[in-house]
Amino acid sequence: SAPVGTLIVGLEDASLVDTTSTVDRFEPNYLDGTAKDGANHFTDCTANRGGGIDNEKNAASVTMHEVHFTRCAARTNGGGALYTQAKTLSITGTANTFTDCTGQGNGGAVYQYRNADGSVVTLKNCAFSGCQANGSGSGGGMYANARTLYIDSDAANQNDGNTSFTNCTANGNGGGLFHDYGGTAAIYNCAFTNCEAKAGNGGGLYTTAVTLTISGKKSVFSGCTALLDGGGVFQSSDANGSAFTFRDGSFVNCSAEGNSGGAIITKAKTVTLASCTVSRSTAKAQGGGVWINPSTASFEGCTITVNSVTNSDSKGGGVYVGGGTTEYKSGTVSGCTAANGGGWYQNNGSLYILGGSISGSATTNGGGLYLWDGNAKVYHYGGAVNGSAAASGGAVYINNGAYTVGNGQYNNVDYTGACVGAVTGGVYSATAGGTAAAFTRMPVRSL
């Protein structure tokens, strides 16, 4: 018989129940419960590191199917359920659960440590629930160091899995999931619910991935919060070639309590939001729904509604754009509020409004849209901009910059007077008559 707390490798049906390990080094590299009932169970296991499994060897790969960890804990380090230095970690099958696991460091449930070139983590049908990264740890459910992360996806396909992070917390970054040293992260139909970064960024997900793609209608971030930035998602990479894509999913009731990006903050150079929903999310300073600072960005078919920023100089209730060139092709920004730029705040760069609608309300200026910098330019060729402001610019407030209208629509714009000036109900230019604040009138429709 094996000592208490020792994992016997090679069994189809392996279980550890109510164990306290005196040996902190388990070294499996294949664990499969599919032959019976998915009964690789680890319950109430504890260790200094890797409460259920500690795989300290630099193995080529660790593969697990149908594994279930319940109330496992790492007393002094990370990985309440699993700590591994494997180059490739794969946890797949029809059902894998990590429930109420805790780590006193990174990875409340899983800590994948190795970040070598070619390292890959693949998750499919994994449910992380009630897991915590305590101490100064990040990744309440999982901390992954691999260069590539696949969740219910792979290099070639989107797989209809059912991975989720629910009620997971981290004292650092990434309440649900922290992904570091990332080249690529591809996430499909993964739900993050009520996850929290208690002292950091990324309530649901924090990633350094150069390329981050989140897609699928079941990719829902709900009720996630961060003390600092990115209530739902925080992507830190601004490297050349960095990209963020969010397609078909939704953010709802997320919050960045200390700063910006109530639902999303990404520093990627290329940003794409398509057929998505961002609603009822809040931030303190900038971007109640979305905060981006791209080279190029595209919004198409998204509903961004009832988001807000709350401090007295807040900017961009729905969307905050730091610079670059953005195409707003279609969709709706509505019911969003801020001190300045209730719907949209354009700090710098060029915004092409080609369709859809942008509206909101401002407690100070620019209910629909606010232009800040002298290099901020808007080309309004389709769609509608409207809103209300307590001070000036119900639809548009031009602090500086240039606004060109062609074939666009406004509500309550008086074109009988000067196109640049105190047209408080519609378009207001703070530097009326100044060349840096030129408002160019082109033929418009349905005024």
Side-chain angles (χ1 to χ4, degrees):
S1 63
V4 172
T6 300
L7 175 65
I8 303 172
V9 181
L11 298 179
E12 293 173 344
D13 186 0
S15 297
L16 287 180
V17 179
D18 294 326
T19 63
T20 299
S21 173
T22 57
V23 180
D24 290 335
R25 295 177 177 84
F26 301 128
E27 300 175 7
N29 54 9
Y30 193 82
L31 190 60
D32 191 353
T34 57
K36 293 192 176 181
D37 64 349
N40 285 309
H41 290 283
F42 300 79
T43 305
D44 294 319
C45 302
T46 62
N48 286 340
R49 183 184 69 189
I53 298 173
D54 185 339
N55 168 234
E56 73 163 3
K57 297 293 187 181
N58 288 330
S61 65
V62 167
T63 301
M64 297 182 176
H65 300 290
E66 322 300 333
V67 293
H68 305 278
F69 295 83
T70 304
R71 296 184 301 277
C72 293
R75 293 185 295 260
T76 61
N77 209 309
L82 166 66
Y83 172 92
T84 179
Q85 294 184 15
K87 183 175 179 179
T88 299
L89 171 63
S90 179
I91 307 174
T92 60
T94 59
N96 303 280
T97 59
F98 301 83
T99 305
D100 296 332
C101 296
T102 60
Q104 195 66 25
N106 294 329
V110 177
Y111 186 5
Q112 183 272 332
Y113 178 81
R114 197 170 175 189
N115 59 18
D117 288 344
S119 52
V120 180
V121 167
T122 301
L123 303 179
K124 184 175 182 181
N125 292 321
C126 294
F128 296 82
S129 178
C131 297
Q132 302 175 40
N134 296 322
S136 59
S138 294
M142 181 176 191
Y143 188 109
N145 264 328
R147 300 299 174 90
T148 301
L149 172 68
Y150 295 126
I151 299 182
D152 296 326
S153 183
D154 56 36
N157 301 297
Q158 295 174 333
N159 303 308
D160 193 14
N162 194 30
T163 294
S164 61
F165 295 82
T166 304
N167 296 325
C168 294
T169 63
N171 283 347
N173 299 312
L177 171 63
F178 186 102
H179 175 221
D180 205 359
Y181 292 99
T184 299
I187 299 171
Y188 181 67
N189 275 346
C190 180
F192 294 78
T193 305
N194 295 333
C195 294
E196 181 181 4
K198 291 184 176 181
N201 305 303
L205 167 65
Y206 181 105
T207 180
T208 65
V210 175
T211 301
L212 172 61
T213 301
I214 304 172
S215 60
K217 292 182 178 180
K218 291 191 289 185
S219 287
V220 178
F221 293 75
S222 177
C224 295
T225 63
L227 179 67
L228 300 178
D229 295 304
V233 170
F234 186 104
Q235 181 190 15
S236 66
S237 178
D238 60 357
N240 290 334
S242 55
F244 172 85
T245 300
F246 186 69
R247 188 182 303 274
D248 298 327
S250 60
F251 291 83
V252 59
N253 291 326
C254 295
S255 65
E257 296 177 351
N259 202 10
S260 300
I264 300 167
I265 184 166
T266 175
K267 299 180 181 181
K269 297 298 186 186
T270 301
V271 175
T272 302
L273 283 86
S275 303
C276 65
T277 298
V278 180
S279 67
R280 300 186 183 280
S281 295
T282 62
K284 185 176 181 180
Q286 300 173 353
V290 179
W291 188 104
I292 63 174
N293 187 25
S295 295
T296 60
S298 172
F299 289 72
E300 186 169 10
C302 290
T303 299
I304 301 172
T305 183
V306 198
N307 303 290
S308 62
V309 278
T310 59
N311 72 17
S312 60
D313 189 34
S314 59
K315 302 169 182 177
V319 178
Y320 177 98
V321 181
T325 299
T326 299
E327 288 189 349
Y328 184 77
K329 299 177 180 179
S330 61
T332 301
V333 177
S334 66
C336 299
T337 60
N340 297 294
W344 191 294
Y345 189 99
Q346 190 73 24
N347 184 69
N348 203 331
S350 299
L351 170 63
Y352 289 81
I353 303 173
L354 307 177
S357 62
I358 297 173
S359 66
S361 62
T363 58
T364 308
N365 298 315
L369 173 64
Y370 189 109
L371 282 73
W372 168 252
D373 190 85
N375 292 318
K377 297 177 176 62
V378 173
Y379 302 90
H380 187 168
Y381 297 143
V385 178
N386 54 71
S388 62
S392 298
V396 179
Y397 185 95
I398 307 170
N399 180 73
N400 215 330
Y403 202 112
T404 299
V405 179
N407 205 33
Q409 299 178 357
Y410 293 100
N411 282 1
N412 195 26
V413 178
D414 180 8
Y415 283 103
T416 60
C419 289
V420 177
V423 187
T424 304
V427 178
Y428 180 93
S429 173
T431 53
T435 58
F439 183 88
T440 304
R441 178 185 178 186
M442 298 175 65
V444 296
R445 66 186 183 191
S446 303
L447 292 178

